[in-house]
Amino acid sequence: MEFEDEMMKSKGKVEEEKEEGNNNKKRKGIILILVGAPGSGKSTFCEHVIRVSTRPWVRVCQDSIGNGKAGTKAQCLALSATSLKDGKSVLIDRCNLNKEQRADFIKLKDSHQVDVHAVVLDLPAKLCISRSVKRTGHEGNLQGGKAAAVVNRMLQKKELPKLNEGFTRITFCQNEIDVQAAMDTYGALSSSDSLPSGCFGEKTTDTKVQLGIMKFLKRVDAPSKVSSDKTIPGPSIETIDVKPSVNEGQEPSETHSLDGIPTLAFPSISTADFQFDIERASDIIVETVEEFVNKIGNGRLVLVDLSRGSKILSLVKGKAAIKNIDPKKFFTFVGDITKLRSGGLHCNVIANAANWRLKPGGGGVNAAIFDAAGPDLDIATKKRAGSLAPGKAIAVPLPSTSKLFSKEGVTHVIHVLGPNMNSKRPNCLKDDYNMGCKVLREAYSSLFENFVSIVRTQGKLSDHDISNCDQKLRKEDSANVAEKNGKFKGYIEENESKRLCLTNGKEKASNNANTGGSMNKDWGSWAQALYNIAMIPEKHRNVVIEISDDVVVLNDVYPKAQKHLLVLARAEGLDRLADVGQEHLSTLRTMHAVGLKWAETFIKENESLVFRLGYHSAPSMRQLHLHVISQDFDSKHLKNKKHWNSFNSPFFRDSEDVIQEISEQGKPTLNDDEKLLSMELRCNRCRSAHPNIPRLKSHIAICKSPFPTHLLQNGRLLHAPMKDDAC
Ligand code: AR6
């Protein structure tokens, strides 16, 4: 603890020093060029960043630059130049849809010594058009009927930015989740912070990924082919070359490719940049591994380094052999920790030799991991902690949107801070190896403890969290899920939709007033089952199929279709849609992303499935839950009108719409009129009417009509790509 006190004392000094990697970039301005059609959310982006950021930003908007009225590009350039001269960063809020429009702003970087970034709001054309048409009071008066044609015309000429135009960083946003992540990233940037260079979030043309989920799942409203006017962005900048991933460990190589074994890959902490003596470090690694190797169940620990000639790897390898440590449980591996899977080793957890401010950049393994994970890791890390003490580790669940998750199957990054013996770095211990060894030992212990706890949590979940790219694992999962589903019966009383809470009496009044429904609602004991699972999922391992800090996933015990999952929010007080407000947007986005991941998995196994993700306007069970349901409605549990209409009337609120409404209006619309549930039975595809459930079921089993237009928009339906889709 003495050490931590010492650290606090020197904190003031450290704060003045810049974060590693930012040393030379103190107060470096940024020109952030927004690229996007009208209605893509550029102004909202700018307003958000300006509102939350401590960095001084100036919004340069051509629609209002002439005393609140539209002005010229020259005026925008002039305002940008003066703002940069005043030490401010600028947000260029104009469409900037082609290279020529961007070029003059990029040129400003040379005279002002600043970096130029782009954030591309590459949202579906339909969404931009509908927003532009609907909006009122737009600064440039681009709204109403005329907006559709203008937006369409502009999109025809769209030319996506490339790094070689002069950008240091480009962030591509394809949906609202990406936009929120980019807003968070720029909003969190203080005056002296910098961001890693490169392209982030671009649609990849990489064959492997094309074969994986990114290509696999396609929304019905997305164009089926890349239009000819679209420039496919070049490959992302990689900070680290791919090294040949040669196994130098003791384990036979074929074992490495066995996916599904909980595996922690960790670098040697403190022996590079922090200059810890490697002889002593290797002793500490081997001793701590020996202590933990029997606590990790079927898990494995792997020490990784980039180079074949790594001294720390050979020292550790030798010492582990002398101590007879089981080579199946612990081995060394040469490779880039961010690309192990492509080198044949699947690790669901990786450790990062972090800096104490848990910031991206700085070089070494820290820069490589943050770069490879994309901004998601930084955002997820910030949610957990702002700093880390030496000797401590913190596990950060990786959002499924992160590239490290989708490409490498990494579900967690554990940040570890070791002791620093490098006098050029903050809080140097000089030669105090008494303290140094103690702190390094603590660091590895804390790292392994975090891994043990992840293994325990994921233990009975087989491999659901590990990757959504691995079909083999998914098939096994499906089998397990069926078994778990059986065990779950009896836990939740029959049939949620039997008890759908309709709007009458007190309940209706509270909903209409939007007063945070749950406070006014008495949930019967039968309705608490989901709540109980969400609060302590560890107690319900036999039924849950995925647990993270934010959500729990389980199969609906009375599925109303071939595939029917529930994604539960874990936040206390979030009982149903009526409770949801702007502050829950990130939870809703996480629930959506997890639901999407599962839908993708099921579609991979059965390409005929089509999914819809959404909420009941007035649910019967307590605890906000997202339905992920296939649109076949082929289930013996679907028995009556209420069942059908709860998924096939406006009572069912699509997750995408809910997110959009909350972003725009702060609250979702609740269609909770009970009449909706007693409406006539109509086919969910052709809308034909049917007198009873058996007749409806016989019809939907053969109806091949396309889904109604409103479902084909805004990503409401998820399905496999058409056979002729090029990418
Ligand atoms: N894959 C595998 N191993 C790697 C990779 C990679 N991509 N990159 C580096 N290594 P270091 P530290 C190995 O310096 O001494 C950073 O600037 C490398 O060969 O990252 O604990 C942070 O911001 C070495 O064996 O960690 C911190 O401020 C090991 O990973 C500071 O360095 C760790 O080297 C932490 O310094």
Side-chain angles (χ1 to χ4, degrees), residues 286-329:
V286 174
E287 284 159 22
T288 329
V289 164
E290 191 183 26
E291 188 190 329
F292 275 86
V293 83
N294 294 323
K295 296 183 188 168
I296 52 171
N298 64 336
R300 308 181 296 186
L301 304 172
V302 187
L303 176 68
V304 177
D305 202 353
L306 276 173
S307 126
R308 278 182 202 225
S310 162
K311 281 203 183 132
I312 190 81
L313 285 200
S314 55
L315 282 172
V316 166
K317 209 161 89 174
K319 290 177 184 178
I322 293 167
K323 280 189 177 277
N324 251 336
I325 295 179
D326 181 353
K328 286 206 167 62
K329 294 256 168 216

Side-chain angles (χ1 to χ4, degrees), residues 422-471:
N422 179 350
S423 57
K424 295 199 182 107
R425 295 264 167 251
N427 306 305
C428 173
L429 284 179
K430 299 206 176 68
D431 282 333
D432 183 355
Y433 270 95
N434 284 338
M435 177 60 85
C437 289
K438 181 173 169 281
V439 173
L440 188 60
R441 205 177 288 277
E442 280 171 9
Y444 282 111
S445 298
S446 180
L447 165 63
F448 297 150
E449 269 158 19
N450 271 279
F451 178 60
V452 168
S453 130
I454 294 168
V455 174
R456 283 206 187 116
T457 313
Q458 292 184 334
K460 288 211 178 170
L461 308 178
S462 47
D463 309 307
H464 282 87
D465 266 348
I466 290 169
S467 163
N468 51 10
C469 293
D470 190 320
Q471 201 164 2

Side-chain angles (χ1 to χ4, degrees), residues 19-21 239-241 266-276 303-307 310 312 333-340 352-356 359-369 416-420 425-426:
E19 182 55 41
E20 297 94 319
T239 49
I240 296 187
D241 292 334
F266 63 100
S268 165
I269 309 296
S270 291
T271 47
D273 200 18
F274 283 174
Q275 299 181 0
F276 199 95
L303 176 68
V304 177
D305 202 353
L306 276 173
S307 126
S310 162
I312 190 81
F333 196 86
V334 176
D336 182 336
I337 200 161
T338 66
K339 295 175 183 147
L340 295 174
N352 174 32
N355 49 60
W356 75 272
K359 289 274 203 169
V365 80
N366 185 68
I369 290 178
V416 199
L417 185 63
N420 173 36
R425 295 264 167 251

